[in-house]
Amino acid sequence: MLLSQALDIVHNFTPQEFSTLSDLLSPELIDECLADTGTVTLRKRRLSMEMMVWAVTGMALFRSHSMTQLVSHLDILLPGKRPFVAPSAVVQARQRFGEDVIRLMFEKTQRLWFEKTPLSHWNGLTLMAVDGTVWRTPDTPENDAAFGRTANINKCSEWPQVRMVCQMEVTSHLLSAAAFDSVSAVGEADLAAQLIPQTPDHSLTLFDKGFYALGLLHAWQSAGTERHWMLPLRKGAQYRVIRSLGAGQALVELQLSPQAKKKWQGAADTLTARLISKELNGKTVQILTSMCDPLRYPKADVVDLYGHRWEIEHGFREMKQHLLNNELTLRSKKPELVRQELWGVVLAYNLLRFMMAQMAYSLKGVEPYQMSFKQSALYLRSHLSLLPGISPGKIPRIMEEIMAMAPGLVLPERRVRHYPRAVKKKPQRYPLRPPLRS
């Protein structure tokens, strides 16, 4: 039994209030994505284009397997004389498959996911977070030319790198959008602008201070209904107070520079926002937000709410450390396959997060972000790998075991940090490579 067929059977045994994996990764949806992108299998091959969706997703789910081991492990080969395929056949299949199908799968599945998952709200707003991260790729001439490297006056990165910006719903950790490009060609604000079409109405997006770009913020709130944002005020930012809204808060006006108006087409000359100041741990914290109504959005709640921005940082850690087993360099040696692999990573992450949402909402008063991703991922992947080899009649028992395990995967309450946040230098086994000369 193929893994895709096993997941279709899972549909009949999940709780009624949840969506299903077959809704998201069904053969019909895969065929729709293949048709939309014009990707077809012209002749019969051991690795069809339909099966390559599972192969690319499995690259992230089963990081310790090579690609040839992976296709056998997932049982996604069509019948043939040999129980395996040559490594070159897997690479050729990935090249024919491209990146558009897996990107479209991610986009379609995330829409279905958000429609079917009961998300928490704050004052009628869905809580979102946007932040960026960097992925390193194998050091090949093709990747170096396509993605570039980060550098400063002292040294250059040892690896070509891809810059990614994601948007995440903070209670479920489901990714709603992702964009990535060369680390040397684009900044985080430029990639964040690509996420605007996927941003839901009636939402609040939490930004890091690195996204302080008035043109971006204006475009964000102007693209729909109640698309609010919040981020720290930049140090040294100039603004004019329009009027006071009470102790520690005011309505302010910020002036866009000529460069910002040129870069962000359609941006207004000024941006009106609400500035909130609060003493926190002996420091004055200043938060800027588009939520200008102090009655609907109380000051104390707004400042405390910003702490949820760290949920997306936890999400990046989950992807890199637990999903990819700390193997921080991607597999692919060609740029088009790097992009394909990254779409597979975010799709696989959402797949696990959706299954965790099912488990969390089967419990009373538990949100998905309160589940241990490391333990849940290990547990769910082990069951996913078992599904192809068991008979359909045993699927209900497997699903009951998955739901019964949910209470044991709930995290304890987070402790208050009692030591300073710092990064310790790791010992090096080998001497460092000298800086590259330009």
Side-chain angles (χ1 to χ4, degrees), residues 189 209-218 231 234 260 263-264 271:
K209 60 183 178 181
F211 291 89
Y212 189 93
L214 300 183
L216 170 65
L217 300 178
H218 178 271
L231 80 172
R234 173 180 287 179
K263 178 179 180 179
W264 302 95
L271 181 68

Side-chain angles (χ1 to χ4, degrees), residues 133-149:
T133 189
V134 171
W135 299 85
R136 67 190 191 195
T137 72
D139 192 359
T140 64
E142 296 90 343
N143 286 343
D144 192 18
F147 302 124
R149 307 168 188 247

Side-chain angles (χ1 to χ4, degrees), residues 139-140 144 147-151 156-161 182-184 433 436:
D139 192 359
T140 64
D144 192 18
F147 302 124
R149 307 168 188 247
T150 55
C156 180
S157 170
E158 302 290 344
W159 307 86
Q161 296 171 314
S182 165
V183 72
S184 60
R433 179 191 298 178
L436 297 177

Side-chain angles (χ1 to χ4, degrees), residues 417 419-425:
R417 180 179 294 275
Y419 52 88
R421 185 182 298 277
V423 177
K424 295 183 179 180
K425 185 178 180 180

Side-chain angles (χ1 to χ4, degrees), residues 3 17 26 38 113 132 203 258 307 358 361 388 401 435:
L3 177 60
E17 62 268 24
S26 66
W113 231 310
S203 63
Q358 296 187 66
Y361 289 128
E401 290 178 0

Side-chain angles (χ1 to χ4, degrees), residues 154-156 434-438:
N154 297 317
K155 63 178 182 179
C156 180
L436 297 177
R437 295 183 179 180
S438 56

Side-chain angles (χ1 to χ4, degrees), residues 48-64:
S48 67
M49 294 296 97
E50 293 81 0
M51 297 305 179
M52 286 307 299
V53 173
W54 293 103
V56 175
T57 307
M59 289 173 63
L61 288 175
F62 304 99
R63 178 67 170 178
S64 60

